[in-house]
Every structure is written in structure tokens, then in C-alpha cells.
Amino acid sequence: MVPRCSISSNEVQLFQSLNGIRHLAETRPFKAWFLDQFGVLHDGKQPYPGAISTLQKLSSYGAKMVIISNSSRRASTTIEKLKNLGFDPAHFVGAITSGELTHQYLQRRDDDWFAALGRSCIHMTWSDRGAISLEGLGLHVVEKVEDADFVLAHGTEALGLPSGTSLPMKLEDLEKILERCAAKKIPMVVANPDFVTVEARALRVMPGTLAAKYEKLGGEVKWMGKPDKVIYQSAMAMAGVEDASDCIAVGDSLHHDIKGANIAGIQSAFITGGIHATELGLGSYDEVADSSSVHTLASKYDAHPSYVLPFFTW
């Protein structure tokens, strides 16, 4: 079957195929491929079956591949992680992450919104996954809400301390701090807009969950990364591609990957075996989703992929 599909808010035509990536490479030679990592290439612990060889074959077709990720890590860290998982960095033009964008905007301060931020922040970071460094940003991490100019959310496991270390905290305890921050009406910068991510077939809570909570509390949030079009524009510049019709984004999140591609005006391929697998009633990564289930989910998120594939394989 041809994996082409046109999903609009009014009508869905869905075709799925186990050799979808090969079909796209042979029939629609996109110059730039923007690839999500978690849920597409790997599960955080190991590559998905066929992902490495698929990249090799795509590369042989001359595709310029860019990792476009909502990771709160810097781009260099993302490439290093992929290398450690067995991926060849030479297959990628580079990586652009929400964490990289956040670092750049906080460092340059050439954007009006960021220029108005103070330098003192409440820092929510990682613990088990490793805290995020703020080196080179000229920020002052504070513990007291009354001393903070803004909230910086890199993770959901710990509170950063002035010493540079971190204090592990439960999610509900971080949310209590957010309540006090919202009462003070200080803005939040979220360096990873994802709500959850796939990790060894389980779902882990991401900083986007804290940001959504903050908005419900009445707080102002600057969402860095997908689905904002800025990260796609950065990826196009990295790949040296100017025409959106020459690009395709591959991801497993309708709200972030597919919605972001819609906003950026580029085509997209939705991988059903990632974070939406449970919602689609899938029991394994390579199981094919029911067409009506995909239609319903796409309508729910108002995110409409150009193609739907069970997984990233040749």
C-alpha cells in the first residue's frame, strides 16, 4: 500500500505501509528530513528496530537530516547521546533542540521578550537524568520565590540550588512552588514543551506539563521548541533549504511534531508507535493503527499529518 495520506480537519484518507520511508524517499525526494528522536529513532534506552539502517539508506538518497527535538539538552549533548546509542552522527547535518534555542535566546537577549527578563530565576531541572548546566548565561539561581525574576523549566525532577547542585523533588512539590510564582506573576521559560516522552516503552512526565499547569494558574509562559515554527525555521537554515515544500518532519507527537509542521507549512509523517500508542490501542511498536482511531486522534489535537506510518523503517 502507498503510505500517502491527506488528513484535514474535514476528511481523512489513511494508508499505512511497513516500507513507508522507502516509498517517500523514492517517490517524494525531500531535500530535508527533520527527525524527532524519542518515539521515532529510539526509546531513550535503545534504537528501534531498523532505525539505524533506515538512516543509512536515507542518507544514500542525499537526504539532509536534522534532529529537531524538544529535549531540554544542548544540541551537542543530543548528538552525543545518539552516538552512544549506536547512531552515526555523520548521517545528520546537525541538531536543533528546544534546550539549544532556550540557551541561545537567554544568552543573546536580542529578543524583546527575553531582553526584559531579569537575571534571577527559580530553576526546575533534572535529577536522575542529570541536571542542566546554566554556564555562560549570567543567571543567578535562587531558592526563594520572592527573589526570582522568572522561572526556568528544564526538567521535572529537582529544584536547582545556588550552589549549582540540585535538590530532588516530587512533581507535586514543584507545582506548589509554581503556585507561589504565579501569585507573584513572574514569567516562565519552558525549555522542553513536551508533556510526556517515551522512555523504554513507558511515559515520563516532561516540563511541558509544568508549563501547562502554570498557564492554568494564570502564569505567562514562553514555550521554546515544537510546535512553534521558530525551531523549524532554524532546522531549514541548518539544512540550507529555503522552500518549505522540500521538507518533511517525522515525529510521534501530534500536538508537537505534527502540529508544528502544520504551523511551519511543511509536510509531516506521523509515527503511530510512539507516545500515542496507548491512545491508538496499540500493544506493540510495530502494530498498525486503525484508520478511524488515527482520524479521531488527529481531530482531537487538530494536527493533520501528510503521511501516517507505524514506525520509522525502510
Side-chain angles (χ1 to χ4, degrees):
M1 288 187 294
V2 177
R4 173 85 185 203
C5 80
S6 175
I7 298 185
S8 69
S9 57
N10 298 317
E11 183 179 3
V12 174
Q13 289 183 317
L14 170 65
F15 302 92
Q16 297 193 82
S17 169
L18 298 184
N19 65 342
I21 300 299
R22 176 181 177 182
H23 176 86
L24 289 178
E26 292 178 344
T27 63
R28 287 299 311 274
F30 294 103
K31 294 179 181 178
W33 289 66
F34 304 145
L35 308 176
D36 187 31
Q37 49 172 340
F38 287 86
V40 175
L41 300 181
H42 61 82
D43 66 0
K45 302 296 183 182
Q46 59 186 359
Y48 286 123
I52 291 177
S53 60
T54 297
L55 289 174
Q56 293 170 339
K57 290 169 182 174
L58 260 181
S59 181
S60 71
Y61 275 73
K64 294 182 178 180
M65 291 177 281
V66 178
I67 296 297
I68 176 170
S69 172
N70 272 354
S71 170
S72 49
R73 307 282 173 187
R74 300 289 303 278
S76 58
T77 303
T78 293
I79 292 295
E80 187 63 27
K81 179 180 179 64
L82 287 168
K83 181 179 178 181
N84 291 338
L85 288 173
F87 294 93
D88 184 354
H91 289 146
F92 308 110
V93 175
I96 183 69
T97 67
S98 53
E100 182 67 38
L101 283 178
T102 300
H103 187 93
Q104 291 176 4
Y105 275 70
L106 284 171
Q107 188 175 57
R108 294 198 305 255
R109 303 264 177 163
D110 53 3
D111 172 272
D112 289 344
W113 193 90
F114 280 90
L117 281 181
R119 295 284 176 175
S120 298
C121 69
I122 293 287
H123 186 210
M124 296 182 176
T125 185
W126 298 114
S127 176
D128 294 343
R129 296 164 67 92
I132 305 289
S133 171
L134 303 182
E135 184 178 358
L137 295 179
L139 298 178
H140 307 292
V141 175
V142 297
E143 293 181 68
K144 296 179 180 179
V145 171
E146 53 267 29
D147 296 332
D149 298 315
F150 69 101
V151 182
L152 177 56
H154 273 116
T156 62
E157 296 175 341
L159 184 69
L161 301 177
S163 63
T165 60
S166 59
L167 177 65
M169 278 194 176
K170 295 180 180 179
L171 187 65
E172 51 265 35
D173 292 327
L174 292 176
E175 290 178 339
K176 289 178 181 177
I177 294 174
L178 289 182
E179 291 175 3
R180 302 203 301 274
C181 292
K184 190 188 173 188
K185 299 188 181 302
I186 62 175
M188 168 191 275
V189 178
V190 59
N192 182 332
D194 284 350
F195 301 124
V196 293
T197 193
V198 175
E199 189 165 286
R201 294 299 297 169
L203 295 181
R204 181 183 281 259
V205 176
M206 292 285 110
T209 298
L210 291 175
K213 167 77 172 180
Y214 202 58
E215 285 191 331
K216 288 182 180 179
L217 291 170
E220 179 187 7
V221 176
K222 176 64 74 173
W223 296 80
M224 303 299 292
K226 299 177 286 188
D228 192 274
K229 66 180 179 181
V230 171
I231 196 167
Y232 294 88
Q233 292 169 340
S234 297
M236 288 178 67
M238 185 174 287
V241 176
E242 297 181 358
D243 192 337
S245 65
D246 289 329
C247 308
I248 184 169
V250 183
D252 69 321
S253 169
L254 285 167
H255 178 78
H256 296 98
D257 302 310
I258 307 306
K259 185 76 168 181
N262 292 165
I263 293 171
I266 66 177
Q267 295 200 48
S268 61
F270 172 45
I271 303 299
T272 57
I275 66 169
H276 293 296
T278 299
E279 290 177 276
L280 291 170
L282 304 178
S284 62
Y285 180 71
D286 58 354
E287 189 175 343
V288 177
D290 177 73
S291 299
S292 62
S293 296
V294 174
H295 180 152
T296 299
L297 207 60
S299 298
K300 173 184 175 181
Y301 289 97
D302 189 24
H304 310 291
S306 314
Y307 308 88
V308 178
L309 305 171
F311 53 95
F312 184 77
T313 188
W314 196 259

